[in-house]
């Protein structure tokens, strides 16, 4: 194997064997600082990382574990020819390491399956299997020591926004605060602008955040506005999630107007939106209705899996805690239906695949399932 891949494998292997790395200051721009605790020669050689080789190494590290879920894409035919180069988008709450081991009480999941030495390979295997052009993650608490350097080696640029009061910090031996992270393939997209948002409710700042970026597709020249967020969890907070959703929609509208072509009077609707997130809200909640009824003309991509495209999947998370079993839909990929077309949607694993102990498990690293869609730009009329 190549030197870069060898060093990458070695760095991943050592991630848990050393003490937690200190967290650098929150990064607000498109290119995060390189963590000085990493091997300098690895950082210099990371551009040589071969994704196929890295995937093989992950599979080798997991050879004694049950096989990963085999999921299929449902390809949608709207009467148009298949796009030559679709944009693949992944949305995933990967489960913060500190929360999985310390606070989330997954009573049916063995502690060994929750260890970072196991989970990091499962997470990377999922990312390398689907190779999204745009990757939206929540509960990221290993950004600087793992995800930023590894994915930079695969050609991704990224933006990270930690929660102001992350619950991870209450866990002994934590790796810093968790937050939202947005990664994009630099060979496919050019960075134009970004903003990290601390979401508010009735003008009062909350503990939830969002990352929003404006990207330009290198092959088409079309711009795209991408957002990743994670709204307040738990029942009883429906009103707060609704307020946070409204705040995010307001920020998106403002950013789109900022990038509107004033000279030609082009409308903000010319810039498509992709909003990925763990909304912690079922489709019956007000925040879901707010997004559905938004003047931004949004639709939920995973409805495309249903008959007639009218309903969400039965579940995007399935877990057993001390409080009982939870099987519900909380995660979404919203898109501008006037300017983007959904070409393919990755199906959900079956109950049989997930197994009686539910998620996470030795087969899957998170209590949330990844959502993956292929999009293409609609032709301008």
């Amino acid at each position: 194997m190549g030197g870069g891949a060898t060093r990458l494998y070695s760095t991943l292997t050592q991630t848990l064997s050393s003490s937690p790395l200190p967290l650098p200051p929150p990064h607000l721009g498109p290119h995060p600082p390189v963590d000085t605790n990493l091997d300098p020669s690895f950082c210099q050689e990371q551009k040589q990382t071969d994704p196929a080789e890295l995937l093989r190494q992950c599979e080798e590290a997991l050879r004694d574990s049950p096989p990963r879920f085999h999921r299929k894409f449902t390809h949608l035919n709207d009467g148009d020819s298949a796009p030559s180069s679709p944009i693949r988008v992944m949305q995933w709450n990967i489960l913060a390491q500190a929360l999985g081991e310390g606070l989330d009480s997954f009573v049916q999941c063995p502690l060994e399956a929750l260890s970072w030495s196991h989970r990091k390979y499962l997470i990377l295997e999922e990312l390398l299997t689907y190779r999204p052009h745009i990757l939206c993650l929540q509960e990221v608490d290993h950004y600087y020591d793992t995800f930023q350097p590894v994915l930079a080696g695969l050609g991704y640029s990224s933006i990270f926004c930690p929660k102001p009061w992350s619950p991870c910090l209450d866990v002994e031996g934590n790796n810093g605060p968790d937050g939202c992270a947005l990664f994009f393939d630099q060979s496919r997209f050019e960075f134009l602008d970004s903003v990290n948002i601390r979401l508010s409710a009735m003008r009062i700042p909350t503990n939830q955040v969002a990352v929003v970026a404006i990207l330009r597709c290198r092959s088409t020249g079309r711009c795209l506005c991408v957002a990743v967020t994670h709204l307040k969890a738990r029942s009883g907070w429906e009103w707060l999630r609704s307020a946070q959703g409204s705040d995010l929609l307001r920020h998106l509208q403002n950013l789109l107007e900022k990038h509107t072509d004033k000279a030609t009077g082009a409308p903000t609707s010319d810039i498509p939106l992709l909003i990925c997130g763990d909304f912690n809200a079922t489709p019956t909640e007000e925040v879901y209705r707010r997004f559905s009824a938004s003047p931004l003309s949004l639709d939920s991509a995973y409805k495309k899996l249903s008959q007639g495209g009218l309903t969400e999947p039965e579940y995007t998370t399935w877990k057993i805690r001390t409080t009982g079993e939870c099987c519900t839909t909380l995660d979404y990929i919203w898109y501008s239906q006037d300017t983007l077309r959904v070409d393919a949607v990755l199906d959900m694993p079956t109950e049989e695949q997930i197994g009686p102990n539910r998620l996470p498990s030795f087969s899957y690293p998170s209590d949330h399932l990844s959502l993956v869609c292929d999009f293409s730009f609609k032709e301008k009329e």
Side-chain angles (χ1 to χ4, degrees), residues 19-90:
S19 58
L21 296 172
L23 188 74
H27 170 69
L28 301 180
H31 300 288
V34 173
D35 193 326
T36 55
N37 289 277
L38 290 172
D39 179 357
S41 57
F42 157 70
C43 294
Q44 291 170 3
E45 293 186 30
Q46 60 183 343
K47 289 184 178 179
Q48 301 174 14
T49 303
D50 176 9
E53 174 63 16
L54 179 56
L55 177 58
R56 190 199 64 77
Q57 292 174 0
C58 288
E59 291 170 344
E60 175 65 19
L62 297 166
R63 66 184 182 278
D64 296 327
S65 300
R68 64 179 179 84
F69 301 149
H70 287 283
R71 303 164 64 184
K72 296 180 180 178
F73 279 95
T74 295
H75 294 273
L76 306 168
N77 184 359
D78 294 331
D80 298 328
S81 58
S84 57
S85 56
I87 300 166
R88 177 158 293 178
V89 179
M90 176 184 280

Side-chain angles (χ1 to χ4, degrees), residues 161 195-200 208-212 247-248 251-252:
C161 184
V195 59
N196 282 5
I197 301 167
R198 182 176 178 181
L199 296 173
S200 294
Q208 280 64 49
V209 299
V211 176
V212 184
D247 190 45
L248 177 56
H251 278 285
L252 291 170

Side-chain angles (χ1 to χ4, degrees), residues 287-310:
V287 66
Y288 183 95
R289 294 194 293 271
R290 282 186 182 272
F291 273 69
S292 294
S294 165
L296 295 171
S297 189
L298 301 171
D299 199 5
S300 174
Y302 259 72
K303 286 163 56 179
K304 295 287 188 180
L305 284 181
S306 68
Q307 188 71 32
L310 299 176

